[in-house]
Amino acid sequence: MATCAILDLHGLQALMDALRGRGYRVIGPTLRDGALVLADITSVEDLPRGIGDDQAAGHYRTRARADEALFGFAATAQSAKPALFPPDQQLWSGTRVGDGYDVSPREPEPAPVALLGIRGCDLAAITIHDTVLLGRGAIDAHYATRRDHAFLIAITCATPAGTCFCASMGTGPKPGEGADLTLTELLDPHRFLVETGTPAGEEVLAELASEPAAAADLAAAEAVVAGAVAQMGRQVQTDDLRDLLYASAESPRWNDVGERCLACTNCTMVCPTCFCTSVEDVSDLSGDVDERHRVWDSCFSMEYSRLHGGAVRTSTSARYRQWLTHKLAAWTDQFGMSGCVGCGRCITWCPAGIDLTAEVAALREDATHRETTPASAALAAPPGTGGARTRSGTTTGSATPPTPSTDR
Ligand code: SF4
Ligand code: SF4
């Protein structure tokens, strides 16, 4: 059974010190270059005291809060993903020796990380990566090493952003299972409710000078959760998402979003669950030293779908469809869970302001329209397409961009 206790700000510092004393790098939220990011921190003073954020589609700004909250903001610009699944991972290096080649073991992994203040959405994303990268036939050794040694301190989200929809996805604002410790920040007086989630969390908490949690503390923490749910910026109807996405394979909405999407890959770079990579080989100028790296890649890049003879998904609309359909439908078939945790980062950091929740709503509206429109009317040319839609969804007419069905 979980232990509940109260830590004050000195206790929070003692927690960080205890983790550092155990050899952890403590990674937590801090203000850097006008954004709240996860980075190495050593002190409570490194946390963004009294700073909140405003997030909307294609919009991010920090702002001053009227209080001294240390975690009074929503999802940080980047999630915890880079700490456990880095964007550039050296796999091996080799040096020419005479006519042969010496292959060196891969770089040693860095010190284990303690992730402080991760949100429910990001904790759920780590659980997803555990399934994808550890729970199947081939275990990702790099991820396994980092993950095995990581210490997770989640925090209840008190002030979700306008782009957040974790409540819809069932991942927040109260973090689910998987954290060693879960904090809820309480103000007046400033303190933290701490709940243990693992024996490792129990062990660390036992070292700290904490107070037992009172009924008033527990009630205050519940009020934080209720307040966050009430402030949730967006929502998604999830009960039939998989079927909706599969049934929408030929929706004209993909062409609409394809015309707005810049294929910049931002959404996949900030997404805490995206895990696509490619392999790059680099050598020095002499050609005597080679390195192989695994780097993040994106299904929004043309090259990512290259098979023999060329790319499979040459249009932006086809790539957006691939991304959203995998996230919300095929992921469920592959891994038994949604690939989206509702963090909202793909909305905030999309330079075109494309909003996953709005795209799903539009697909739903389109599906409803198809159900209620007679087949003969559905075959008429949709406005602005410049051609008549055939029964298969292909489009005729010279000014019309190819639909996903003809350009995958
Ligand atoms: S798809 Fe968007 S909202 Fe969902 S987890 Fe990825 S970045 Fe977050
Ligand atoms: S949806 Fe937005 S963030 Fe994603 S590739 Fe397109 S323009 Fe970039």
Side-chain angles (χ1 to χ4, degrees), residues 123-133 273 331 337-341:
L123 182 65
I126 291 172
T127 308
I128 290 173
H129 273 188
D130 288 352
T131 300
V132 174
L133 302 171
T273 68
W331 202 297
M337 57 186 71
S338 170
C340 175
V341 294

Side-chain angles (χ1 to χ4, degrees), residues 157-241:
C157 202
T159 48
T163 46
C164 292
F165 55 103
C166 66
S168 292
M169 304 312 291
T171 62
K174 169 96 176 168
E177 292 184 357
D180 295 294
L181 296 173
T182 297
L183 309 179
T184 303
E185 184 171 26
L186 305 172
L187 301 170
D188 303 323
H190 204 166
R191 64 203 188 284
F192 293 86
L193 175 70
V194 190
E195 295 166 76
T196 58
T198 64
E202 292 276 358
E203 195 180 308
V204 170
L205 182 61
E207 284 181 20
L208 309 176
S210 62
E211 297 288 329
D217 297 317
L218 301 178
E222 280 177 23
V224 167
V225 174
V229 170
Q231 290 177 55
M232 199 64 53
R234 280 166 164 73
Q235 59 178 355
V236 170
Q237 182 186 329
T238 57
D239 48 1
D240 60 348
L241 265 186

Side-chain angles (χ1 to χ4, degrees), residues 76-405:
T76 44
Q78 186 56 278
S79 71
K81 180 168 77 170
L84 301 176
F85 188 73
D88 184 339
Q89 171 85 55
Q90 183 183 310
L91 300 177
W92 55 263
S93 68
T95 308
R96 191 199 308 270
V97 182
D99 292 336
Y101 208 64
D102 265 356
V103 175
S104 314
R106 61 189 162 92
E107 282 177 335
E109 301 291 352
V113 294
L115 294 164
L116 172 62
I118 49 175
R119 308 296 161 139
C121 54
D122 289 339
L123 182 65
I126 291 172
T127 308
I128 290 173
H129 273 188
D130 288 352
T131 300
V132 174
L133 302 171
L134 304 178
R136 300 189 300 152
I139 288 176
D140 182 322
H142 305 281
Y143 180 81
T145 305
R146 289 171 185 253
R147 181 69 179 90
D148 277 353
H149 299 121
F151 190 93
L152 306 181
I153 308 161
I155 189 147
T156 302
C157 202
T159 48
T163 46
C164 292
F165 55 103
C166 66
S168 292
M169 304 312 291
T171 62
K174 169 96 176 168
E177 292 184 357
D180 295 294
L181 296 173
T182 297
L183 309 179
T184 303
E185 184 171 26
L186 305 172
L187 301 170
D188 303 323
H190 204 166
R191 64 203 188 284
F192 293 86
L193 175 70
V194 190
E195 295 166 76
T196 58
T198 64
E202 292 276 358
E203 195 180 308
V204 170
L205 182 61
E207 284 181 20
L208 309 176
S210 62
E211 297 288 329
D217 297 317
L218 301 178
E222 280 177 23
V224 167
V225 174
V229 170
Q231 290 177 55
M232 199 64 53
R234 280 166 164 73
Q235 59 178 355
V236 170
Q237 182 186 329
T238 57
D239 48 1
D240 60 348
L241 265 186
R242 174 183 170 278
D243 294 345
L244 172 68
L245 267 291
Y246 284 153
S248 301
E250 304 295 345
S251 171
R253 185 68 185 184
W254 303 118
N255 279 345
D256 183 288
V257 70
E259 285 173 7
R260 288 174 282 132
C261 173
L262 308 173
C264 69
T265 78
N266 263 18
C267 47
T268 49
M269 295 297 109
V270 296
C271 178
T273 68
C274 280
F275 59 88
C276 288
T277 56
S278 60
V279 170
E280 289 182 356
D281 292 332
V282 290
S283 63
D284 70 355
L285 288 177
S286 71
D288 288 338
V289 180
D290 276 337
E291 290 179 357
R292 174 160 287 188
H293 292 252
R294 182 180 71 182
V295 295
W296 288 358
D297 204 341
S298 170
C299 54
F300 278 91
S301 81
M302 175 95 81
E303 284 301 295
Y304 194 73
S305 71
R306 177 175 286 279
L307 300 176
H308 68 88
V312 174
R313 290 184 286 272
T314 55
S315 72
T316 306
S317 56
R319 278 175 252 151
Y320 190 89
R321 179 180 68 168
Q322 151 68 24
W323 177 70
L324 198 63
T325 305
H326 186 216
K327 278 270 170 240
L328 301 179
W331 202 297
T332 311
D333 294 331
Q334 273 182 293
F335 309 120
M337 57 186 71
S338 170
C340 175
V341 294
C343 72
R345 289 186 179 91
C346 58
I347 305 169
T348 298
W349 297 100
C350 174
I354 294 171
D355 176 349
L356 176 159
T357 64
E359 296 310 316
V360 168
L363 290 172
R364 192 176 296 288
E365 194 178 328
D366 183 45
T368 307
H369 180 71
R370 281 197 307 274
E371 281 171 14
T372 56
T373 306
S376 57
L379 289 173
T385 61
R389 283 174 60 75
T390 67
R391 199 173 282 280
S392 67
T394 55
T395 311
T396 58
S398 59
T400 307
T403 64
S405 61

